[in-house]
Structures are given as C-alpha cells and as structure tokens.
Amino acid sequence: MNIKILDFDHFDSKMNMPLQQYLIEHHLPKIGSYHVVAKRGDTIIALGMLYSNHVHPHRDYILFHKVQNDLEAKLLIKLINNLEKKSKTRGLQLILNSRNNSLCEQFESHRFHIVRTTYLIKLKEVTEIDTDIKTIKTKKLNQMSKVEWQELKKLFHKNYKRFHEGVNALAQEFSPDLLFENLKNINVMESTILLNHCSQLCAYFLIGGSDENSIEVAYLGGIDEDHMEDYLFFFQNELRTLLKKYKTVYFEADDSDDYFSALMQKLNCDLSDSYYTLIKDLGE
C-alpha cells in the first residue's frame, strides 16, 4: 500500500483523532503548531511537528518521529519541506539520537548540519581527589553579596554567549541580568561559586532540578581556561558532595562547552548516550 504525506492544511475532520492517538501512544508532547504525517492507509507511520521554544525563539523547532524504517528518503524530504514552508523564523532546529546514522544523513542531505553533540551523563561515584580540599574557598549562591551576584551573571553571560552562539543568539540579545532570570529551576541552596586567593569569584557550579534519588548539574564554568585544573578540582569536589546526598548526579554536556568537555575527560565518562543538534537556515 502506498504511503501518503498529509499536512495540517489538508487534514479532514477524521484526522484529529488518529493524530492525538499517535501522540499519546508514542508519548509525544502536544506542543505542535503544525503537523505533517506519513500515512499507509489509515495508519500514521511517521510524524513531523513544528513547534516554538519560548526560551530560544530565534528558530522553529522540529520534532520528527517514525515507527517504521520504510519511509523513503523522498517522502521524508517532502515531509520536511511541508514543515519548512510554515517556519516563521526561517530557521529550523531539531535533535536526533546520534545512533540514528541513517536519519541524520538524510537530514544532512537536505542541508541541515550538525552544530553540536550533547552527551547525557549519569554519575554514581567520583574517584577520590588528591588535592587538599581545605585549599579552596567556596560559597553558596544564597550567601553571595550583590557584587558577587553581578559578577556571576556577567561571567555566566560571557560563557553562555561563547558556547552557544553557533546554535542560538539568546545571549547576544539579553543582558546578563535578563539571561540569568531566564534560567529555570536554579537551586540557590545547592549551587556554588569558587573564590580565588583574593576572594573573587572565578568559577561556578549551578544546580537544577532534583528528586529523592537524583540531582542535575545545569551549568558550570570559569573565568580563565588556563586555570582549568583548579576548576576541575572544584567541580569534582562538588560532585562528590552531591553524591553523598543523592544516588545519581546527571547532566547534559555539550561538546562545544570547554568546561563540560574537560570534566567529562577528567572523569572518563561513558559517552555512549548522546544526541545531535542540527540546524538549517532557510535563507541559505
């Protein structure tokens, strides 16, 4: 039976129910502003969704999902083309599992390109550190002065702009204050800054969400990569402290971020679980 590509503009009154059932069955979010489906008979076998991300509004996001491997390349391209026509930003972004080489190649053949690889890291232990912990000075975010808060926001803004400029321009348009306010669920009780010998902020370790068993490292970074070893010791010490309270510490580490990359190498992390971020500018 032939496979047909059907976009939202041509959905009939009977199409909404199968679409909703597909979303529920495959645990997909109901966030799409525009949908395109591939159908074999009355059965949806693949779906493309266009949606917006209020945190990163400079691109339209694509979610692509399929349940069978027999969607021909030309049909996939037709599905993508229908989504592209509805992009208001004229820029697209999507995430694909890095193990799905065939699908990645198909998107790349359609002028999408990989801008970063993100590794999903879960830690249950961190090896002992040789350096004397007493030699470092730290402070929790809820203990910082107004001056330290401003320094933290400036440093975070600098690093965010540097490591994310290839994907989104958020830091270019937001001030340090606004960018930091835009962050969600930063735990000021657990998040920590590192102070140098002059008691000035030189690195940060920001904590995100948590539950009874696990806790997330949301962001980390420093002022000068020449002092990376000092920062790595600080990061490792914070991880060890968290693992005394939680069974698992997890984080998403971009290969474009020098600080996360150095930490993954230092800890010899398992890099088998990762995904690609791909983008395409429709003006190209």
Side-chain angles (χ1 to χ4, degrees), residues 105-201:
E105 289 174 0
Q106 286 181 304
F107 273 94
E108 286 184 297
S109 71
H110 198 58
R111 295 190 291 114
F112 282 81
H113 60 277
I114 298 172
V115 289
R116 72 182 176 206
T117 303
T118 301
Y119 299 96
L120 309 179
I121 305 299
K122 293 182 180 180
L123 299 174
K124 295 188 178 296
E125 62 179 359
V126 174
T127 56
E128 293 291 331
I129 307 171
D130 295 332
T131 309
D132 185 1
I133 296 176
K134 296 179 181 178
T135 61
I136 68 170
K137 184 177 181 181
T138 63
K139 184 182 288 190
K140 297 297 184 184
L141 264 60
N142 63 332
Q143 300 172 333
M144 294 195 310
S145 66
K146 290 183 178 180
V147 172
E148 289 169 334
W149 267 109
Q150 289 304 310
E151 291 302 312
L152 171 60
K153 291 176 182 178
K154 289 178 183 178
L155 177 57
F156 179 82
H157 185 275
K158 173 186 173 184
N159 284 335
Y160 191 97
K161 181 178 180 181
R162 176 185 173 193
F163 298 132
H164 290 78
E165 63 181 354
V167 180
N168 65 72
L170 193 63
Q172 296 178 12
E173 299 185 6
F174 281 10
S175 67
D177 283 337
L178 286 176
L179 179 63
F180 204 86
E181 288 175 10
N182 207 43
L183 303 182
K184 302 296 182 183
N185 300 323
I186 296 300
N187 186 332
V188 297
M189 303 290 287
E190 295 283 7
S191 299
T192 311
I193 59 171
L194 175 67
L195 304 175
N196 62 19
H197 64 280
C198 296
S199 295
Q200 297 172 327
L201 184 152

Side-chain angles (χ1 to χ4, degrees), residues 2-256:
N2 292 335
I3 298 174
K4 296 182 179 180
I5 303 298
L6 188 66
D7 62 50
F8 182 77
D9 289 338
H10 296 91
F11 284 5
D12 58 28
S13 58
K14 299 178 181 179
M15 191 62 225
N16 185 61
M17 183 61 72
L19 173 62
Q20 297 305 316
Q21 289 176 342
Y22 186 93
L23 295 174
I24 294 171
E25 181 181 352
H26 299 287
H27 308 289
L28 301 176
K30 297 181 180 182
I31 56 176
S33 60
Y34 196 81
H35 298 86
V36 182
V37 300
K39 293 182 63 183
R40 177 183 282 115
D42 295 328
T43 304
I44 297 175
I45 63 169
L47 174 142
M49 178 193 303
L50 201 66
Y51 67 99
S52 300
N53 183 330
H54 75 279
V55 178
H56 302 297
H58 302 90
R59 294 185 182 277
D60 291 308
Y61 283 64
I62 289 177
L63 187 154
F64 177 75
H65 182 272
K66 64 177 181 177
V67 293
Q68 298 183 22
N69 294 321
D70 53 358
L71 187 64
E72 297 179 13
K74 64 180 181 180
L75 293 177
L76 173 62
I77 296 305
K78 184 177 180 180
L79 188 152
I80 297 171
N81 283 338
N82 286 352
L83 293 173
E84 289 181 355
K85 292 175 184 178
K86 295 298 180 177
S87 172
K88 296 179 180 180
T89 65
R90 307 307 295 162
L92 298 171
Q93 180 170 331
L94 79 153
I95 290 172
L96 293 177
N97 190 306
S98 60
R99 295 191 182 102
N100 199 334
N101 294 322
S102 175
L103 188 58
C104 289
E105 289 174 0
Q106 286 181 304
F107 273 94
E108 286 184 297
S109 71
H110 198 58
R111 295 190 291 114
F112 282 81
H113 60 277
I114 298 172
V115 289
R116 72 182 176 206
T117 303
T118 301
Y119 299 96
L120 309 179
I121 305 299
K122 293 182 180 180
L123 299 174
K124 295 188 178 296
E125 62 179 359
V126 174
T127 56
E128 293 291 331
I129 307 171
D130 295 332
T131 309
D132 185 1
I133 296 176
K134 296 179 181 178
T135 61
I136 68 170
K137 184 177 181 181
T138 63
K139 184 182 288 190
K140 297 297 184 184
L141 264 60
N142 63 332
Q143 300 172 333
M144 294 195 310
S145 66
K146 290 183 178 180
V147 172
E148 289 169 334
W149 267 109
Q150 289 304 310
E151 291 302 312
L152 171 60
K153 291 176 182 178
K154 289 178 183 178
L155 177 57
F156 179 82
H157 185 275
K158 173 186 173 184
N159 284 335
Y160 191 97
K161 181 178 180 181
R162 176 185 173 193
F163 298 132
H164 290 78
E165 63 181 354
V167 180
N168 65 72
L170 193 63
Q172 296 178 12
E173 299 185 6
F174 281 10
S175 67
D177 283 337
L178 286 176
L179 179 63
F180 204 86
E181 288 175 10
N182 207 43
L183 303 182
K184 302 296 182 183
N185 300 323
I186 296 300
N187 186 332
V188 297
M189 303 290 287
E190 295 283 7
S191 299
T192 311
I193 59 171
L194 175 67
L195 304 175
N196 62 19
H197 64 280
C198 296
S199 295
Q200 297 172 327
L201 184 152
C202 63
Y204 55 85
F205 188 87
L206 305 183
I207 299 302
S210 64
D211 56 31
E212 292 182 358
N213 297 313
S214 62
I215 191 166
E216 174 197 19
V217 179
Y219 302 96
L220 52 80
I223 288 180
D224 186 350
E225 290 171 45
D226 289 341
H227 295 93
M228 184 66 80
E229 285 301 318
D230 294 333
Y231 304 153
L232 290 175
F233 170 67
F234 163 57
F235 299 152
Q236 287 176 274
N237 184 58
E238 291 302 309
L239 289 171
R240 290 181 67 244
T241 299
L242 291 174
L243 285 169
K244 293 177 181 178
K245 305 176 185 177
Y246 300 89
K247 293 181 180 179
T248 305
V249 176
Y250 64 94
F251 52 86
E252 296 187 1
D254 298 335
D255 65 349
S256 58

